[in-house]
Amino acid sequence: MSAYPIPDNEAGRQAALDEHHILDTEPDVDFDRITRLASQMLGVPIALISLVDRQRQWFLSRVGLEASETPREQAFCAHAICSDDVMVVSDATEDDRFKDNPLVKGDPHIRFYAGVPLQSRTGFNLGTLCVISPQPRQLASGEQQLLQDLAGMVTQYLESRSNGYLCPLTGLQNRRPFFEAGQREFQRVRQSGDALTLMLIGLDDFQAFRARFGSQQGERVVQEVARTLRALLGDSALVGRVTEAEFAVLRTGLEAREGRAQAESLRAGLALQGWLVDGVRHPLSVSRGVASLSTEDTGFRDLFQRAEAALKQARLSGKTLPG
């Protein structure tokens, strides 16, 4: 089996894939619907949406295959992304590139493969929509068009998801991707034993502020808070906008006591900064809730709910309480 080829634009291609924040996410019904259609309409047992990562191909959706990923050197799709054309292998046992491939010689005994590159709006091939059969066969012109049309739907969903990944106002992660990233970090620290602390920073009476000064001023406040948090935290934390007036900060390696101190520092700084409207500086009421990883937490959602409860209690009491 020959080594897999590297696209000439590999660095940009990998960066484009990373920017989609789609790797290792939970199954998605839209993508699963497309792979089921590809399998049924082309009469093949296996259909995959494969994303070619640094050293692996990871399956965003799969029908007829148990594995969630394979090494890149075994990936037919690693070859397919090097061209913008449909790649068809009628019988892998007669193709010098693949005849010694473990996926040909062993399970799932690939013979037929057809893959359409999934091209981002910036022109990078992120992976493929592919179909596989253990029986040699050809791909008719109408079937090729069908596969290309389905691949176009995958690309459309990928771009739509990417566009909805970040808050358009602040550039921070929205609630769903923040939760997904938080769950991945939760699972990682469970294995490593690291500390993990979540801070929620809430703008109090934000609706009243916006009603008084207007939506444009409200948007400016949100943007300024986001800029301040990014400037203060840099790359040391994961930051997201999880509701209209709440920001979440997730830090690994931060124990509970230090987390409460940092959250209070962030809260006090934002409150002290206030907001300038028509030359007059108005106070900005800010609360915070903090929760650190507990042995009783079964997932990131437990951690988030405790921080959320602490934030709610802080607003009710007029104080800032830990979770």
Side-chain angles (χ1 to χ4, degrees):
M1 181 178 64
S2 60
Y4 61 85
I6 303 294
D8 293 337
N9 60 0
E10 176 64 10
R13 191 200 69 81
Q14 183 67 55
L17 178 59
D18 291 339
E19 287 169 4
H20 278 72
H21 302 281
I22 194 72
L23 293 168
D24 299 309
T25 55
E26 294 297 314
D28 187 293
V29 293
D30 289 328
F31 295 121
D32 290 345
R33 187 178 297 118
I34 294 174
T35 49
R36 285 197 302 271
L37 281 172
S39 172
Q40 293 167 6
M41 298 179 75
L42 291 172
V44 293
I46 299 174
L48 309 166
I49 297 174
S50 170
L51 300 176
V52 181
D53 197 11
R54 291 168 177 83
Q55 303 296 328
R56 60 172 177 161
Q57 66 169 347
W58 178 76
F59 303 129
L60 174 62
S61 178
R62 62 192 191 275
V63 169
L65 191 70
E66 289 296 323
S68 61
E69 62 181 63
T70 70
R72 186 166 173 175
E73 59 265 23
Q74 297 178 11
F76 282 50
C77 298
H79 295 257
I81 63 168
C82 294
S83 169
D84 295 337
D85 299 325
V86 180
M87 187 179 102
V88 180
V89 178
S90 297
D91 187 345
T93 62
E94 297 181 358
D95 191 308
D96 289 339
R97 296 171 297 175
F98 306 116
K99 63 184 182 181
D100 295 324
N101 191 305
L103 303 178
V104 174
K105 301 182 77 171
D107 192 54
H109 300 285
I110 298 173
R111 294 297 179 268
F112 167 76
Y113 168 94
V116 180
L118 302 173
Q119 191 170 94
S120 72
R121 65 180 181 275
T122 52
F124 295 103
N125 292 337
L126 308 179
T128 75
L129 171 65
C130 66
V131 290
I132 293 169
S133 173
Q135 303 298 327
R137 60 167 288 183
Q138 302 293 325
L139 188 69
S141 59
E143 292 177 321
Q144 178 170 315
Q145 186 59 59
L146 173 63
L147 195 59
Q148 289 174 308
D149 289 344
L150 291 174
M153 293 174 62
V154 174
T155 300
Q156 186 177 40
Y157 285 137
L158 281 172
E159 296 301 338
S160 176
R161 180 188 171 98
S162 179
N163 291 337
Y165 185 87
L166 299 179
C167 166
L169 195 61
T170 65
L172 298 177
Q173 290 185 3
N174 285 323
R175 187 182 182 93
R176 176 179 171 179
F178 185 87
F179 261 72
E180 290 173 350
Q183 180 61 26
R184 290 195 295 272
E185 192 61 10
F186 176 91
Q187 292 171 339
R188 192 191 69 78
V189 300
R190 271 291 189 233
Q191 295 178 347
S192 67
D194 291 337
L196 187 67
T197 293
L198 175 66
M199 300 169 259
L200 293 184
I201 308 295
L203 306 182
D204 301 333
D205 301 319
F206 181 68
Q207 293 287 355
F209 180 96
R210 193 167 61 177
R212 179 181 178 187
F213 297 111
S215 296
Q216 188 174 15
Q217 289 292 345
E219 290 179 355
R220 288 180 58 200
V221 167
V222 168
Q223 290 173 323
E224 185 61 30
V225 169
R227 280 194 292 268
T228 299
L229 290 175
R230 279 191 297 225
L232 292 174
L233 296 166
D235 296 330
S236 67
L238 176 68
V239 184
R241 186 187 181 196
V242 292
T243 72
E244 181 183 50
E246 292 178 12
F247 298 83
V249 177
L250 185 66
R251 284 207 57 185
T252 302
L254 196 67
E255 299 287 351
R257 182 176 179 181
E258 289 79 6
R260 290 193 294 270
Q262 182 171 82
E264 178 56 24
S265 177
L266 292 172
R267 186 208 66 79
L270 290 169
L272 183 63
Q273 178 176 301
W275 188 247
L276 192 65
V277 181
D278 297 329
V280 178
R281 189 164 294 280
H282 298 269
L284 191 63
S285 179
V286 183
S287 296
R288 54 92 169 168
V290 184
S292 294
L293 187 64
S294 163
T295 55
E296 297 179 356
D297 293 330
T298 59
F300 179 72
R301 186 170 297 276
D302 292 339
L303 185 67
F304 191 92
Q305 288 176 344
R306 290 195 292 111
E308 205 167 36
L311 177 62
K312 182 178 180 179
Q313 183 60 35
R315 283 172 163 163
L316 289 173
S317 65
K319 300 176 181 180
T320 53
L321 302 174

